[in-house]
Structures are given as C-alpha cells and as structure tokens.
Amino acid sequence: MINTSRSLLASTVLMLLASASAMAQDSTLITNARVIDGTGSPAQSVAVRISGAKITAVGNLQPLAKETVIDAKGLVLAPGFIDSHSHHDRGIFEHRDTPEVVSQGITTIVVGQDGGSELPLGDFFGKLKATPASVNVASYVGHNSLRDKVMGEDSKRVASAAEVQKMVQLLQRDLGAGALGLSTGLEYEPSSYSAADEVIALAKTSASVGGRYISHMRSEDVRLDAAIDELVNIGAQTCMPVQISHFKLAIRNRWGDAPEVLKKLDAARARGIDVTADVYPYEYWQSTLRVLFPERNFKDRKYAEFVLKEVAAPEDLIMSAFEPEPSYVGKHIGEIAALRKTDPATTLMSMIAEADGKQEMVIGKSMSEPDIAALIAWKHTNISSDGGLGDLHPRGAGAFPRVLRQQVREKKTITLQQAIHKMSGLTAEHMGIKDRGTIRVGAAADLVLLNPDTVADRATLEDPSQLSVGIEQVWVNGQTVWRGGKTTTAYPGTLIKRDAGAKPFTCSRASR
Ligand SMILES: [Zn+2]
C-alpha cells in the first residue's frame, strides 16, 4: 500500500513537472519593465508572465526552465490599447497585419461606428473567424445600415412604425451575433431624417440585452447643445451607458466652451446617466462637405457664407477625395475657388452639387487645441482614432502615439498612467469588454511595450501614412504582432463579443 501510494505520488509529481515544463515552453516572462496596468495606477517594477493567450502571473517572478525571457530594459509595459471608434476594418482582409493599428499599440478595434456596420454582422464575424487579422475586432450595429436595409432608396424621411419594427428585428439578430450595442451617425443621411423616437426604440432594444449606445451626434457645431440633450435623453430613457463619439466643439463661436459643456455632462452623470465620450487628438476632422449643412440647404448662399466664416475657413477645408475632379485632392476650397475663378461660397455649393452620389471627402480644421485638451482630460473620456487603413487623415496611423507625445510629454495635460488608462482600462469599461484593458492575472495577453521618451506620431496631413515610432513590441492574445518597427506574420486577433454575462439595462429605480 505504502509503495503504491508512493509511486502514485511520484508519478503525480512527474506529471506536474512535465506540465510545468510544457507550460514554460509556451510561456514568456517580461522582466525589467515599468508596468502601468491600465487602471490609472502609477508604474510598478514587476514582471509579467504570458502563457498561451493569457497573463498568468504578475509580480516578483523568477524565470521557469525553458521559458522565454524578454528584458524590457526599463521600458513601459501597458495593456494593449483599445480603439473605441475605428474604421480600420475597411480593407482588413487585404491588410491583415494592420500596420497602422499595431504600430500605435492598438490591439483591439471597435468598428461599426457612425451608424455604419456590416449587415448581417454574423457574416462579417464568420469571415473574421476564418481569416483573422493581427488585432481583435468588436463591432456595434449601425443605425444607418439598418435604415438602408429596411427603407432602401426611400429613406430621406421619418420611418413608419412598421419600418422601425423591422429595424428592431434586424438589430436583435445582430445583437444576438455578439454586437456591443447600437451606433448612430445622426449627422449623416439618411439617419439625419430619423425622429428621436425611432432612435429611442432601437436604443431600448440594445439596452434590453445589455448592449450599449454610441453616437456620432446629430450636430458637432451649430446644434451641439441639442445633440447632447438628445444623447443624454437616450441615456435617461433607457438607463444604458451612452457614449459621445469623437467629441468636439467644431465651430468657432463655441471655442473655449469645453469646460461649460463638460459641466453639463457632469450634471447628467450626477443624475445617474452614464454618459461618456471618446476623443481623437486633432484640430481637424474628416467627413463629407454635406455635414456642413445640417438643414441640407446646400444651395443657400447665406448659409454657405456662414459656414466658411464660423465652421471652417476656405483655407481650412482641404479635399481628401473628390471623384468628379481628382486634381482637387490636397487643395483647399480657397485654392479651388481661385482655379474656378469664383468665390469660395459658390465653389462649396457647386462642389456639393457636382459630387452628388460620388465619392467626396474633406478634412476640415474647426476645433481648438485648448478644447481638445480639456475634452481629453475629462475623467470619462477615452481615446479613439476614428481612423482607417490607408487613411488620408493622419489619425489613422497616429492618434494614440500623438496623445502620448503631445498631451503627456509636451503639454502635460494628463499623466502617462492617465493616458494609458484612457487607452485601455477605461475604454474596456466604456465598451463593456471584461477580460481586456488591464494587466492582471487571467486577462488576455494583449500588451504593448513602449518608450515614453520617444513615442510619437509621424503621420501628417501631407504624409498621413507615416507610421508612429516608440512602440517597441505589441502582443495580441500572447503572440507578437509588432516588433522592431515591423509587423510579424501572426494573426492572433479574435472576435470580441458582448459579454455573455451582460445584464439588461433597465430603469428599475424610480423617476429619472
Ligand atoms: Zn463619426
């Protein structure tokens, strides 16, 4: 008996040793790093062990036999960044190594933004599962996409009750596929024609399964206050978290008002409404010329003159695409007006008419740097890029390192640990992503090793595809996707679906 149990014990020990050594072969220990864990806490000198796709130990650790050891040489190790407003999915199957993304330290992109998503989402998810990319992907369901599907061409109007019901059903299907929630792009046609009730009906559908609401609001300039009121009201009606996408004050007569606008949001939060925001760190946006005319009064000369005076001056509206006359790309409205031997207002109105139905994009400079800094510093703001692969706006390749260079190192608007929190842990909270965003045992091994003294964006308006520097190594689900200034050939990205344990958001408490 004694012998038997001894041999049992011996074989158990052998088995344990064998599994430890197998584990060690599949494990990596990162030592000598200043670990900033994404919770907002300052750096700690601890080691981090990755085994497979997970973080398995954090602390004062000794290497296991056969373990790969990476000496971080005093660099900062942070959770992989989560981009809460990304368009980097366009073209992702042709560029699965996503250099613009991983070179920024981004390991998860949240797509389906501005009311536009792949429908049915399950098909897109299936394709990603079969052909994964270097980064993780999560998606919202887009209101405009639902509207297009249900209303077709006849969508420049309020939807009927039956049409809203059809949109609700399509939304339920895609929430069932794992979408994080509903996204709207109410400044864009055709959802700009939607009534508030339509949006609330869809938002309630999302809330009923623990989904969220994220919005490119109805206005970012002339009607900013009303747009914020609409978003806050959706939060009040549904009791779900509501997020303002790429928050900005894009009109000159509101420059400097960021503190006042934030006060209003803080008041809403004090009433129990979970309103949050994301911001990209540039004074210029990229969209269509049409968004400059919220009333769709594209032929109203007085309004065109107002736009060029208050929203963006002719020299601050630079075309990044114009299908009817590609030679306009890179030129501003003032230059184009001179070429056409006419005034900027006429040029603006004519170009919208000429581009009808064709591709047209403009980069517009209409935000102020102090407002951007104030919005970024707000406790409930996370960082996003709003960028895409091959983007003509530098945000696609530079947004996150730009915050680390400009707002942390140069302007000292926020500390490094605050910035990292706003790029990882806080973002995960805002998106409802449970197992990522902080460095802790059991979390997914999405990590970024960066040099806080050199990290910088290189993308500019003139050369928007220049990749960032100072992001030394990036891991997604335990595999290296970026090292030595290059992408690897690993595609460990996974689908991030809405947390299975997400509880419905309901207004159980009394009046709100
Ligand atoms: Zn947008």
Side-chain angles (χ1 to χ4, degrees):
M1 278 305 281
I2 289 168
N3 271 347
T4 315
S5 65
R6 269 208 184 137
S7 69
L8 251 179
L9 184 66
S11 64
T12 309
V13 168
L14 277 174
M15 272 167 63
L16 281 172
L17 283 173
S19 73
S21 109
M23 258 180 71
Q25 280 178 26
D26 185 29
S27 91
T28 300
L29 188 69
I30 305 167
T31 61
N32 294 323
R34 285 150 61 202
V35 173
I36 297 184
D37 67 5
T39 64
S41 303
Q44 284 179 286
S45 296
V46 288
V48 173
R49 172 167 291 131
I50 305 170
S51 302
K54 300 271 185 207
I55 295 168
T56 50
V58 179
N60 187 358
L61 307 170
Q62 296 308 313
L64 303 171
K66 296 187 183 174
E67 186 169 50
T68 305
V69 178
I70 294 175
D71 181 352
K73 298 190 174 127
L75 295 177
V76 165
L77 186 68
F81 301 151
I82 300 171
D83 185 351
S84 67
H85 188 107
S86 165
H87 300 288
H88 292 102
D89 56 323
R90 293 180 198 149
I92 199 167
F93 295 111
E94 291 75 43
H95 304 279
R96 291 164 60 209
D97 61 341
T98 65
E100 291 93 330
V101 182
V102 293
S103 57
Q104 295 192 60
I106 298 166
T107 55
T108 295
I109 56 172
V110 183
V111 305
Q113 302 288 345
D114 297 318
S117 65
E118 300 278 346
L119 290 187
L121 199 54
D123 289 0
F124 175 60
F125 279 2
K127 203 172 165 198
L128 266 174
K129 203 169 177 190
T131 321
S134 57
V135 293
N136 307 309
V137 180
S139 183
Y140 282 84
V141 184
H143 174 213
N144 255 327
S145 303
L146 298 172
R147 250 184 162 253
D148 283 342
K149 185 83 190 162
V150 170
M151 299 172 75
E153 294 287 289
D154 177 28
S155 58
K156 291 189 173 180
R157 57 176 175 83
V158 172
S160 70
E163 286 166 336
V164 173
Q165 195 44 42
K166 275 189 196 151
M167 286 185 230
V168 164
Q169 283 163 5
L170 290 175
L171 175 60
Q172 281 168 335
R173 178 196 65 191
D174 284 4
L175 286 165
L180 299 184
L182 173 72
S183 91
T184 59
L186 298 172
E187 196 176 27
Y188 293 116
E189 297 158 286
S191 66
S192 53
Y193 296 93
S194 64
D197 287 354
E198 170 182 331
V199 183
I200 287 176
L202 293 166
K204 279 187 172 159
T205 304
S206 177
S208 71
V209 295
R212 288 148 189 270
Y213 180 78
I214 194 162
S215 180
H216 175 144
M217 299 187 297
R218 253 182 232 269
S219 172
E220 301 183 316
D221 42 63
V222 278
R223 295 183 191 152
L224 178 67
D225 291 317
I228 292 175
D229 289 345
E230 179 174 19
L231 178 117
V232 167
N233 182 46
I234 290 167
Q237 299 269 321
T238 61
C239 298
M240 79 205 287
V242 291
Q243 175 141 324
I244 300 171
S245 294
H246 44 58
F247 200 14
K248 58 175 81 79
L249 282 75
I251 185 162
R252 282 161 192 269
N253 65 16
R254 298 301 303 271
W255 284 5
D257 282 357
E260 183 193 315
V261 171
L262 290 171
K263 220 181 258 177
K264 190 168 150 170
L265 294 183
D266 281 327
R269 290 190 62 88
R271 297 200 304 276
I273 299 161
D274 187 0
V275 55
T276 56
D278 59 68
V279 173
Y280 60 75
Y282 294 87
E283 294 161 276
Y284 34 92
W285 43 263
Q286 177 171 252
S287 191
T288 77
L289 289 169
R290 299 170 77 86
V291 298
L292 294 166
F293 294 79
E295 298 274 359
R296 313 295 157 198
N297 50 341
F298 305 118
K299 289 173 182 154
D300 182 338
R301 170 171 298 276
K302 277 232 145 52
Y303 197 81
E305 285 167 355
F306 165 82
V307 163
L308 294 170
K309 188 161 168 280
E310 284 298 331
V311 181
E315 61 273 21
D316 290 335
L317 288 170
I318 303 159
M319 299 312 296
S320 54
F322 193 71
E323 208 182 321
E325 183 50 68
S327 70
Y328 288 174
V329 172
K331 293 189 171 66
H332 62 67
I333 295 292
E335 289 170 314
I336 297 168
L339 281 175
R340 295 164 71 116
K341 298 191 171 54
T342 180
D343 62 279
T346 305
T347 303
L348 178 58
M349 294 186 293
S350 313
M351 283 175 71
I352 290 175
E354 288 158 27
D356 192 26
K358 302 193 186 83
Q359 209 210 357
E360 164 264 295
M361 292 282 264
V362 64
I363 289 172
K365 185 165 178 283
S366 46
M367 289 87 92
S368 85
E369 184 50 50
D371 284 331
I372 295 168
L375 297 181
I376 285 178
W378 190 45
K379 199 172 166 230
H380 307 286
T381 295
N382 68 260
I383 304 302
S384 65
S385 77
D386 199 6
L389 300 174
D391 204 331
L392 296 163
H393 189 299
R395 63 196 179 189
F400 283 65
R402 186 178 173 89
V403 170
L404 297 172
R405 169 182 69 79
Q406 191 181 49
Q407 303 296 340
V408 176
R409 198 164 63 233
E410 294 171 5
K411 300 189 181 206
K412 302 184 170 44
T413 310
I414 47 175
T415 63
L416 181 59
Q417 61 261 29
Q418 284 170 332
I420 286 172
H421 178 54
K422 287 171 179 289
M423 295 174 177
S424 56
L426 184 66
T427 319
E429 280 174 35
H430 289 175
M431 302 291 104
I433 296 171
K434 284 277 186 276
D435 60 341
R436 289 164 209 272
T438 57
I439 294 181
R440 63 175 195 280
V441 172
D446 292 350
L447 294 164
V448 51
L449 189 65
L450 65 93
N451 185 335
D453 301 326
T454 62
V455 63
D457 54 313
R458 288 283 165 88
T460 59
L461 277 176
E462 294 71 33
D463 195 355
S465 59
Q466 282 288 315
L467 298 184
S468 301
V469 294
I471 301 291
E472 305 297 335
Q473 187 164 350
V474 179
W475 293 259
V476 172
N477 297 311
Q479 295 186 44
T480 300
V481 295
W482 176 260
R483 181 171 43 204
K486 283 197 200 78
T487 58
T488 66
T489 50
Y491 304 110
T494 188
L495 287 169
I496 299 181
K497 297 186 177 179
R498 191 176 69 263
D499 179 38
K503 298 243 159 46
F505 294 106
T506 50
C507 298
S508 51
R509 276 172 289 165
S511 68
R512 205 175 249 175

